[in-house]
Amino acid sequence: MSGLKVLVVGASIAGPATAYWLAKAGAQVTVIERFPELRTSGQAVDIRTAGVSVMRKMSGMEAQVRAKSTQEEGISFVREDGRPYGTIRATGNPDQQSLVSEYEIFRGDLAKIIFDLTKDDDNITYIFNEQIASMQQSESDGSPITVEFANGSATSKYDLVIGCDGATSRTRAIGFGCSVRDHIIPSNSWAAYFTINQDLLQGSRVGQGYSAVGGRFMSVGLDPSGHSRVLLMNIHSRGKLDATLPFRQASIHGDDSLKRYIAQHYQGAGWKSNYFMQEMMDSEDFYASEIVQVKLPSLYNGRFVLVGDAGYATGPAGGGTSLALAGAYILAGEVGKHTGDLAAGLKGYEQQMRPIIKEMQKIPPFITTILAPQTTWGIWLRNYAFAFIAWTGIADFAQKYLGAAFANTKTFPLPDYKWVA
Ligand SMILES: Cc1cc2nc3c(=O)[nH]c(=O)nc-3n(C[C@H](O)[C@H](O)[C@H](O)COP(=O)(O)OP(=O)(O)OC[C@H]3O[C@@H](n4cnc5c(N)ncnc54)[C@H](O)[C@@H]3O)c2cc1C
Ligand SMILES: *[C@@H]1O[C@H](CO)[C@@H](O)[C@H](O)[C@H]1NC(C)=O
Ligand SMILES: *[C@@H]1O[C@H](CO)[C@@H](O)[C@H](O)[C@H]1NC(C)=O
């Protein structure tokens, strides 16, 4: 498919990975990103199953991920006074991840690694501060898509436009002629991330997690540079319809308003919550997002296609980063395999991805109960069950029942493709 002209929208994980593989398939790729620069915030994400397989096919990536890994050895769940009652550790086997993966890396570091692997490629161009304003494609004659940009880039024609702009993708709304909230399945939960300029774990490699009533979870993770990464996750009871509405309303008015909402919501949560809230108000790398799944009847519409969270966010099931890496590889592989027949390539992508998406979007049972019990009784029960599991060493056994995200690299075998570049 030499010479195919492709536009990729979004430079986080899915976008740069898609650019990497499409360039290998011989395409000329432009990546546009709405933000002025690569965003480096976020918590640790982990690479599992098919994601590990794709990473191993990307030149030098596994070594770089290892070098940047959070080196967190596990997470310890603590009581209100900070005393731990149970710890989950990584398995130590890179082919078999537990609740804690061997390939745990900060999202921003991972984005930077894939960006660096692609930024000097002659066939890949990055443009920041840019997004799509409109797209026109004529379904009947199969001619390229005409794209108008919002911030100065000249109107251009592309053979393929790929939306990699995350779960709340605006490009998806343009490409499918729907609204942004269509195809989003809320999980009634949200998460916020920021860094505190102090080592709260005092050199320990085991993170700490704490649950307060109302599904308010907090954790501190290790940052090798001597800082601490805080995660706040709020999980509402099932059945409570659209519990994230106040969060979304606050977010419309920007990060300051969102911080105020969160601070108010975490009032009286106990443990280190007061300190966290103070630090959050001044934090510069604050990032918060609703946790959703995305499910579409089709991943493409003519010459427009989705990769990553924009097409199949996994939400509370985890594993979104791995699925994005698999999607990037398979899309480029299928398009390259069906030279001259883009429709067949896109169809191949859809067919290969469907079973993987289906498995990865299964929400492991008990995940909400484990991370965020709603009541004092629930927390008490969870703590004791957890202490028991940790004490008896049956955690490995329990993890086997936590769903596909914790399966091994052989669970989703990837097709082999021939690459031209
Ligand atoms: C700043 C940030 C922090 C995150 N932190 C975490 C975390 O701590 N833990 C976790 O599990 N997941 C986190 N995520 C989500 C995680 O990165 C994804 O679930 C996963 O890696 C798949 O990524 P993606 O590339 O498909 O989408 P995303 O990572 O959501 O990236 C979408 C990219 O598209 C850009 N974009 C959005 N709209 C437009 C537009 N209209 N035009 C052009 N570009 C656009 C965004 O700025 C972003 O760079 C974070 C995402 C971001 C952007
Ligand atoms: C760029 O693309 C051209 C045409 O497909 C190809 O011949 C060349 O090898 C590619 N360059 C790199 C650095 O991959
Ligand atoms: C457009 O790009 C310029 C720099 O290229 C930037 O300063 C400006 O904020 C951008 N505007 C929008 C709406 O993205």
Side-chain angles (χ1 to χ4, degrees), residues 34 128-131 150-151:
R34 178 162 63 112
F128 288 87
N129 267 318
E130 192 54 283
Q131 51 187 315
N151 199 17

Side-chain angles (χ1 to χ4, degrees), residues 1-4 23-28 120-124 420-421:
M1 68 152 189
S2 164
L4 212 58
K24 285 214 163 292
Q28 301 281 330
D120 298 325
D121 190 306
D122 294 342
N123 293 321
I124 301 175
V420 301

